[in-house]
Amino acid sequence: MRAVRCADHFYDWNIELYPSSAFSSQEQPVITINGMFPGPLINMSTNDVAYVNVFNNLDEPLLFTWNGLQQRLNSWEDGVSGTNCPIRPGTNWTYVFQAKDQIGTFFYFPSLNFHKAAGGFGPIRVNNRKVIAIPFPTPEAEYDLLIGDWYNQSYKTIRSSLSDKKNAYGGNPDALLMNGKLPYGFAENPETFNVTKGKTYRIRVSNVGNALSFNFRIQGHKMAVVEAEGSYTAQITVDSLDIHVGQSYSVLVTADRAEADHFIVATPKLVHAEECGQLTALGVLHYENSTAPPSYPIPSGPNAFDIDFSIHQAKSIRWNMTAGAARPNPQGTFNVSHVTPNQTFVLHGSTAEIDGAPRYTVNNVSYHTRRPPLKLADFLVNGSGVYQLDSYPVESVNPAAESGVFVTTGLHKGWIELVFVNGLHVMDSWHLDGFGFYVVGFGDGDWMPSSRSTYNRHDPVVRSTVQVYPGKWTAVYAYLDNPGMWNLRSQHSKHWYLGQELYVRVYDADPNPAKERPPPENLLLCG
């Protein structure tokens, strides 16, 4: 099954809806895993294999996706609608996947039917092999911190309301939660991390939300950014960090302040001040021997509408070119300084009404989900009757908005340039399954070939989710060495649910399983 392997990890997950009124005056169902919200930690090392046996006790079909894990040669386990038939209610299925050639901070979540708005997410750590040192002193401890927005209404209610333009295109969630908990002052047990003065800690923080970017900070403490979604970064010290939907970071925090309690804060971006109060997440950094509660006022961050601050910080997140990661040779061994892409996709995210319904689109095409999944149809009948390859434009906008099965060719072992253009009035995030991509550029307005002169090809960070600012563009490079059917999507739940996605088919005709694995023995079929 694999050439290099360290250990196997076995998990049994019982997925249930837990009726809870903890987050609002209305009864809010929460998707729990073994009674936990957030779900349990998946803790692996490079090349380890996970076996996750999922028992679906919901009343709807279910899939999990593993945000940022590349599923090398194995898109059968990716857990999105184009690659897997869903796990039907009252049944179970076992995912088997390897953290091949990866390290870093990731998370999992349910990918279908707007389920993510109800929970079901949890942290993933992929640790270095013991023979490869981390590029900073070993921290005293590590903490996982999942921060995300939360709706008071049931995910089913929200889902059904998206046929209305006002709900599809506008409105904010109702709260921000830290590890599933309401903020300090509203929760009996707010999220709390215990520290000892003089010690340094690694906090792995992810934005598991549906819509809102946030600024993250710790009262009175500096943070060293050391990792982003599987890449060690050139270490920079920040007072606060913008984290966009679907993104993950590791920061180092040294407990070098007075022995008291200090606020851990997340506040939303691009949200007006009068709404920020209810959308402030508050936890506690608790010093050993502290007897003093955290002191108000809550530390302020950058202006929520200061895009220049955010872009400047994004450009400062760069690759650590000398550190080893999953492999002993330095990350910088693999670089894009002399790359000429074989393909360029310019992908415009926008909205449209199709057959009277509000939709989100890519190049004026709103993705239409088909059964069976694309990957299964590809394997069985070469996609016949399910999708037609390369039917829609990837460098221009479709003349008229339409719904369709948007599948495009990615050249195997070719370099692709992806330019994401945000035609929305809100922040967007784009994610590519199966790969990490090099974030080479941010720019204003329309992208043009001449925009390449502004790219950073020297040390761009490699990650799997990147933000795209309203009215602006973001450019990335990816090396398509991983055959499969790979989802390219907006990480915003409404955008994704209403069609802002496509699939990139990376095909290798060689049947050698070392190139791409055959379907698993427990392959799910649809109905």
Side-chain angles (χ1 to χ4, degrees), residues 208-277:
V208 296
N210 301 282
L212 296 176
S213 302
F214 60 76
N215 179 264
F216 174 72
R217 53 200 182 270
I218 300 175
Q219 189 175 35
H221 292 72
K222 301 284 189 181
M223 299 181 293
V225 180
V226 295
E227 181 250 332
E229 293 155 38
S231 284
Y232 288 123
T233 60
Q235 295 179 29
I236 60 170
T237 300
V238 299
D239 296 308
S240 69
L241 180 64
D242 281 358
I243 306 178
H244 305 275
V245 177
Q247 292 186 336
S248 298
Y249 285 96
S250 287
V251 298
L252 298 181
V253 179
T254 299
D256 56 3
R257 309 298 291 178
E259 289 189 296
D261 287 358
H262 302 263
F263 281 123
I264 303 172
V265 187
T267 51
K269 306 290 293 183
L270 300 185
V271 172
H272 291 287
E274 60 270 20
E275 299 176 78
C276 274

Side-chain angles (χ1 to χ4, degrees), residues 64 139 197 199 203 216 262 307 337 343 385 395 457 470-471 481:
F64 281 93
K197 188 173 176 64
K199 302 293 187 181
I203 301 177
F216 174 72
H262 302 263
I307 296 295
S337 57
Q343 295 176 279
E395 290 191 77
R457 291 188 179 91
D481 62 343

Side-chain angles (χ1 to χ4, degrees), residues 11 23 62 70 86 112 146 148 152 233 251 314 327-328 399 407 418 451 474 520:
Y11 303 90
F23 307 120
L62 174 71
Q70 294 176 10
L112 301 180
L146 306 184
N152 287 340
T233 60
V251 298
R327 298 169 178 166
V407 185
L418 300 171
S451 302
T474 301

Side-chain angles (χ1 to χ4, degrees), residues 464-477:
S464 61
T465 298
V466 70
Q467 70 272 27
V468 192
Y469 297 91
K472 301 181 186 297
W473 56 263
T474 301
V476 305
Y477 285 176

